[in-house]
Amino acid sequence: MTTTALRAGPRRWHRPLLTLTAAMAVLALVTAAGLAVDDRTLLGANVWLKPFKFAVSFAVYGFTLAWILSVLPRRSRPAEWASTVIVAVSVIEVAIITFQAARGHRSHYNDTTPFDSLLWSIMGSSIMVLFVAHLVVATVALRQRLPDRVAAYGIRLGLALALLGFLAAVPMVMPMDTGLAGISGAHAVGVPDGGPGLPLTGWSTTGGDLRIGHFIGMHGLQALPLLAFLLTRSRLATPTQTRLLLTAAFAYAAVVVIVTWQALRGQPLLEPDFATLTAAGAVAATTLIAVTLIVKSAPKHGPALPGGAPARNSAGDRG
């Protein structure tokens, strides 16, 4: 089993996505400087914290998608066009977030003035376009046949988990009565946005926070391909690697669902109730049992070859 399928081709990188990655990296440095020199706050956090986090997030997202396109066995114009659309809407969204931060205004859910409402409407539309474009890339990855089964599962499952992450954010953009004039939505549940939160992430420590499921789901895009890479470095047979990867994906998806359900009930991440703990325990136990059964039923390696290297199970190493 090799990791060739996980290596990018030298001429297959999607340049707009790489440009997005570079631009977001530069913006992350600029907004980090803003954090150091500008002491203005909004909703209890420095005004530059949100654009900094979004810049880092889009840099990672853009680079990951560029890599995924580079390892697909064939070029796909729909995937490349969809990725270019992703670049465009990502730039629009981050530009609005940064512009509003510079003004000291909220970017999300802000209907305070007609201009603020227009910017929020544009952001809401861009999020929908981004979801559809990501779905196109995921569909292309599903249809193409990668030579390495484990790599293929890692990429496809990562893209699917990111779609789940998008869906976990849907309640945040649904119209709701926040009790605040000019504010049409929120990421916190049961408490106002901007209250006490965890360091850096700002996730609420007094109520539910819908950003948690969104964050975890979106980073499945990196977690599953990384796990696939680690599994291909192991001595396990390909079918065993694939089953472990599928088990991890189901467990990961279950975590996204649980933390989103927890947030919707107005419950802080670090203060789970009995129902949340029961659900999490069931997922953990089921995952542990599944992993144990998969590993125990894995094909055994044959006798050692000359030189001390163990022989591979030829039937189990090729999926």
Side-chain angles (χ1 to χ4, degrees):
M1 179 82 179
T2 68
T3 57
T4 303
L6 291 169
R7 295 174 185 164
R11 299 182 181 179
R12 295 284 302 282
W13 289 94
H14 188 267
R15 290 186 179 180
L17 282 171
L18 291 182
T19 301
L20 174 68
T21 301
M24 292 299 106
V26 171
L27 180 61
L29 293 176
V30 172
T31 51
L35 286 168
V37 302
D38 191 342
D39 59 1
R40 290 179 299 156
T41 61
L42 181 66
L43 297 176
N46 189 286
V47 294
W48 295 108
L49 182 58
K50 176 176 283 189
F52 171 77
K53 292 192 293 185
F54 271 81
V56 172
S57 178
F58 273 107
V60 174
Y61 178 70
F63 182 80
T64 306
L65 280 186
W67 168 76
I68 287 174
L69 291 182
S70 74
V71 300
L72 292 179
R74 300 186 310 278
R75 287 189 61 182
S76 167
R77 291 194 180 278
E80 291 178 352
W81 291 340
S83 296
T84 301
V85 170
I86 287 173
V87 171
V89 296
S90 299
V91 169
I92 291 171
E93 183 169 0
V94 177
I96 292 175
I97 290 170
T98 305
F99 174 70
Q100 290 290 70
R103 298 175 67 214
H105 288 208
R106 293 182 64 156
S107 51
H108 289 72
Y109 325 120
N110 192 349
D111 292 321
T112 305
T113 69
F115 181 64
D116 289 324
S117 181
L118 173 63
L119 293 180
W120 168 231
S121 176
I122 293 172
M123 288 182 64
S125 299
S126 70
I127 293 169
M128 292 299 300
V129 173
L130 182 61
F131 174 82
V132 173
H134 183 96
L135 179 60
V136 171
V137 176
T139 302
V140 170
L142 180 64
R143 291 173 62 86
Q144 289 207 16
R145 184 179 180 84
L146 275 72
D148 187 310
R149 182 190 299 179
V150 180
Y153 271 101
I155 290 171
R156 293 164 181 167
L157 292 170
L159 287 164
L161 286 171
L163 286 170
L164 182 61
F166 276 115
L167 294 176
V170 170
M172 288 192 281
V173 297
M174 299 295 289
M176 64 177 71
D177 182 11
T178 63
L180 301 173
I183 303 301
S184 58
H187 53 70
V189 179
V191 294
D193 284 356
L198 296 175
L200 188 59
T201 63
W203 295 340
S204 178
T205 55
T206 57
D209 201 312
L210 294 164
R211 293 174 297 181
I212 301 170
H214 175 59
F215 176 88
I216 296 174
M218 290 301 300
H219 286 289
L221 186 63
Q222 292 83 38
L224 268 294
L226 177 60
L227 178 58
F229 171 77
L230 294 175
L231 285 170
T232 60
R233 305 288 291 179
S234 73
R235 298 176 61 194
L236 296 170
T238 298
T240 303
Q241 295 176 14
T242 303
R243 294 184 189 109
L244 288 173
L245 195 62
L246 285 167
T247 301
F250 280 115
Y252 199 103
V255 170
V256 174
V257 172
I258 288 172
V259 297
T260 302
W261 172 59
Q262 179 185 16
L264 287 169
R265 292 182 291 129
Q267 188 179 118
L269 176 66
L270 301 183
E271 298 180 15
D273 62 9
F274 179 76
T276 302
L277 288 173
T278 300
V283 171
T286 302
T287 303
L288 179 60
I289 292 171
V291 169
T292 301
L293 292 175
I294 291 169
V295 172
K296 283 190 173 182
S297 63
K300 305 298 182 182
H301 291 302
L305 295 172
R312 293 275 189 169
N313 183 313
S314 59
D317 284 338
R318 301 187 182 277

